[in-house]
Structure formats: structure tokens, C-alpha cells
């Protein structure tokens, strides 16, 4: 966590102010999601600069014109959400595992964005989260779910995506946006503060009409396949093959 320490040290005078602003966004009722997201995105950019992390976004033109869609990225670690927030102007909320929702900064971001924590050991609570995501997406909010359930711990290699993670998308009949994260594990996992670049690739959305009638495990395989294909193509391009 050397990079986190570097971020805190370099933003030492501003960090309390930034945390207070995000906390304040979460205290206001009803939450102004657009304003909260702008504040959070500003703080993420400042933190990334302090931590010598560069975010390169690709495919932003692929995002649906209308809100009410869901992001499904691969999962590499705690940094993933911050990378996507930095790269994307479109406000969104996300589902995060209960344990991670207690991490400082992520906790405040969860509250300010109206995001939801899920207890994977509690089936009833998990179903309530699925229903709530469905309701909000139908009302025009964008949501993000890490369908692998837990980070891969294999660098740029993925775990299987869980079919149940796509239930909200099916129920909401919304567009699915696969997102490929490349090197998002490096900022927090590597014991270094050398400059690092994280790539966020937004793939073409999968409209409901395309996956209508498919079983959730089939949708999971479809999304995983497109993300892996994108990551492979990116690797080959970088290697010049």
C-alpha cells in the first residue's frame, strides 16, 4: 500500500477537506447524485495524480446515449472503481462486497453515490440488493457490478463471471456495457510508487434484445468472452504482434 501512503502524504493538507466534501455529499438528503459524482471524480483525479497513476480511457463513445444501463467490468482489486470513476463522466453507483464498503474513502464514496453493499453470506440480503438495483436502473440510474464476485489475483487474467450477477440487468431489461480493466491491480498491489498506467476499455454495449432469452450463465460467458478478447487484442497491440 505504498502508493496509498504516497497519495495521502502528497495530499496531506487537502485530504481531510476532500474526505469531508465527499462525506458531506452523502449526508445531504436527498442525495444530489450528479453533484456528488463530480466531487468524487475531482478527488479521484487529484489522488491519481498524487499517486503517479495515469488513467487512459478507450471507447467512451460506446456508452449508451440514455442512462439506465449497467457496467460489468473484470475485477482486479480495490482500485478498480476509482479507475472507472476517473475515466467516466457519466455518474453511476455500484455494488460492493460488505467488507470492502468499510475501507476509508470507499466507504464515503459508497454513501455519496447511493451505492449498495452486499453480504454474499446472506441470501435474503443479496436478493434485496438485486431488486433494488433493478428498480434504480429502471428509473434511469447507471450501476456497476463486478460479476466475478472477487478479484482475480492473477493480474490481467479473469475468473469466471457469476450468472447471478446479471439478474438485475435481465429484470431491468437494460443495456450491458462490458468494461476491460488492464493493469488496474498495479497501483495498490505492487510495492512501488513508480508511474503506472491503467487502461479502461469500454466495449460496445449489449442491448437487451441481444441477450433476451439467454440464461444468466450464458450472459456471463458472453460478457467474459468479450472482455477477454479485448484484453488479448490490447496485449497483442502493445507487443506489436
Amino acid at each position: 500500500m505504498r502508493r496509498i501512503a504516497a497519495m495521502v502524504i502528497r495530499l496531506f493538507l487537502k485530504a481531510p477537506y476532500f474526505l469531508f466534501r465527499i462525506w458531506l455529499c452523502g449526508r445531504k438528503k436527498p442525495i444530489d447524485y450528479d453533484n456528488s459524482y463530480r466531487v468524487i471524480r475531482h478527488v479521484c483525479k487529484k489522488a491519481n495524480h498524487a499517486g503517479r497513476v495515469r488513467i487512459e480511457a478507450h471507447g467512451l463513445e460506446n456508452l449508451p446515449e440514455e442512462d439506465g444501463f449497467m457496467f460489468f467490468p473484470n475485477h482486479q482489486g480495490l482500485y478498480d472503481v476509482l479507475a472507472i470513476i476517473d475515466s467516466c463522466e457519466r455518474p453511476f453507483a455500484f455494488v460492493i462486497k460488505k467488507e470492502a464498503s468499510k475501507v476509508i474513502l470507499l466507504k464515503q464514496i459508497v454513501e455519496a453515490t447511493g451505492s449498495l453493499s452486499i453480504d454474499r453470506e446472506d441470501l435474503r440480503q443479496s436478493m434485496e440488493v438485486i431488486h433494488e438495483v433493478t428498480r434504480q436502473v429502471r428509473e434511469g440510474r447507471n450501476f456497476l457490478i463486478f460479476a466475478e464476485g472477487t478479484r482475480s489475483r492473477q493480474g490481467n487474467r479473469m475468473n469466471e463471471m457469476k450468472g447471478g450477477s446479471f439478474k438485475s440487468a435481465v429484470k431491468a431489461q437494460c443495456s450491458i456495457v462490458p468494461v476491460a480493466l488492464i493493469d488496474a491491480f498495479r497501483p495498490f498491489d505492487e510495492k512501488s510508487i513508480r508511474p503506472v498506467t491503467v487502461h479502461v476499455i469500454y466495449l460496445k454495449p449489449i442491448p437487451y434484445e441481444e441477450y433476451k432469452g439467454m440464461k444468466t450463465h450464458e450472459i456471463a460467458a458472453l460478457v467474459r468472452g468479450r472482455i477477454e478478447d479485448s484484453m488479448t487484442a490490447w496485449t497483442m497491440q502493445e507487443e506489436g504482434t
Side-chain angles (χ1 to χ4, degrees), residues 74 148 154 156-161 178-182 203 220-236:
N74 55 312
E148 289 169 271
Q154 302 177 82
N156 288 321
R157 297 178 60 186
M158 293 179 65
N159 292 328
E160 294 292 330
M161 286 187 154
V179 183
L181 293 170
I182 298 176
L203 306 180
L222 173 65
V223 173
R224 181 175 186 261
R226 294 194 180 184
I227 293 174
E228 287 190 321
D229 287 347
S230 175
M231 295 172 74
T232 298
W234 180 265
T235 301
M236 293 177 65

Side-chain angles (χ1 to χ4, degrees), residues 50-107:
R52 307 178 78 187
V53 181
R54 179 183 177 186
I55 306 297
E56 288 195 1
H58 314 268
L60 285 169
E61 68 279 3
N62 289 326
L63 297 184
E65 293 184 3
E66 295 185 2
D67 289 328
F69 57 86
M70 294 185 68
F71 291 117
F72 285 92
N74 55 312
H75 193 16
Q76 298 189 343
L78 290 174
Y79 185 76
D80 297 350
V81 170
L82 303 183
I84 296 173
I85 289 175
D86 183 301
S87 67
C88 182
E89 294 183 355
R90 302 282 286 277
F92 66 90
F94 53 91
V95 175
I96 190 170
K97 61 182 180 180
K98 183 180 179 181
E99 310 89 275
S101 68
K102 298 177 182 179
V103 175
I104 189 169
L105 183 57
L106 278 178
K107 177 181 179 180

Side-chain angles (χ1 to χ4, degrees), residues 37-177:
Y37 191 78
R38 282 193 294 269
V39 170
I40 292 167
R41 192 161 182 253
H42 174 74
V43 173
C44 284
K45 286 183 173 295
K46 291 292 185 181
N48 284 333
H49 179 74
R52 307 178 78 187
V53 181
R54 179 183 177 186
I55 306 297
E56 288 195 1
H58 314 268
L60 285 169
E61 68 279 3
N62 289 326
L63 297 184
E65 293 184 3
E66 295 185 2
D67 289 328
F69 57 86
M70 294 185 68
F71 291 117
F72 285 92
N74 55 312
H75 193 16
Q76 298 189 343
L78 290 174
Y79 185 76
D80 297 350
V81 170
L82 303 183
I84 296 173
I85 289 175
D86 183 301
S87 67
C88 182
E89 294 183 355
R90 302 282 286 277
F92 66 90
F94 53 91
V95 175
I96 190 170
K97 61 182 180 180
K98 183 180 179 181
E99 310 89 275
S101 68
K102 298 177 182 179
V103 175
I104 189 169
L105 183 57
L106 278 178
K107 177 181 179 180
Q108 286 74 30
I109 290 175
V110 166
E111 293 174 349
T113 57
S115 296
L116 305 171
S117 62
I118 189 168
D119 184 351
R120 291 175 295 181
E121 303 299 320
D122 187 334
L123 181 58
R124 181 175 180 179
Q125 191 268 351
S126 298
M127 291 303 299
E128 290 175 352
V129 169
I130 289 173
H131 291 314
E132 181 60 19
V133 171
T134 301
R135 182 187 70 80
Q136 293 196 36
V137 172
R138 283 175 175 169
E139 292 179 355
R141 292 205 72 201
N142 307 317
F143 251 89
L144 179 152
I145 291 181
F146 292 107
E148 289 169 271
T150 186
R151 60 176 177 159
S152 69
R153 298 183 184 275
Q154 302 177 82
N156 288 321
R157 297 178 60 186
M158 293 179 65
N159 292 328
E160 294 292 330
M161 286 187 154
K162 296 176 171 57
S165 300
F166 293 86
K167 288 183 178 179
S168 293
V170 173
K171 291 177 180 294
Q173 300 184 11
C174 68
S175 292
I176 290 172
V177 180

Side-chain angles (χ1 to χ4, degrees), residues 4 8 12 19 23 26-28 34 47 66 91-92 97 103 114 139 152 189 194 200 202 214 220 232:
I4 296 179
V8 173
F12 183 75
L19 280 173
W23 175 84
R27 296 299 94 191
K28 294 181 178 179
D34 289 344
E66 295 185 2
F92 66 90
K97 61 182 180 180
V103 175
E139 292 179 355
S152 69
D189 286 4
R194 291 177 298 179
V200 184
Y202 297 92
M214 295 175 64
T232 298

Side-chain angles (χ1 to χ4, degrees), residues 25-26 28-38 112-113 141:
C25 287
K28 294 181 178 179
K29 304 297 179 183
I31 296 174
D32 183 343
Y33 295 117
D34 289 344
N35 181 64
S36 293
Y37 191 78
R38 282 193 294 269
T113 57
R141 292 205 72 201

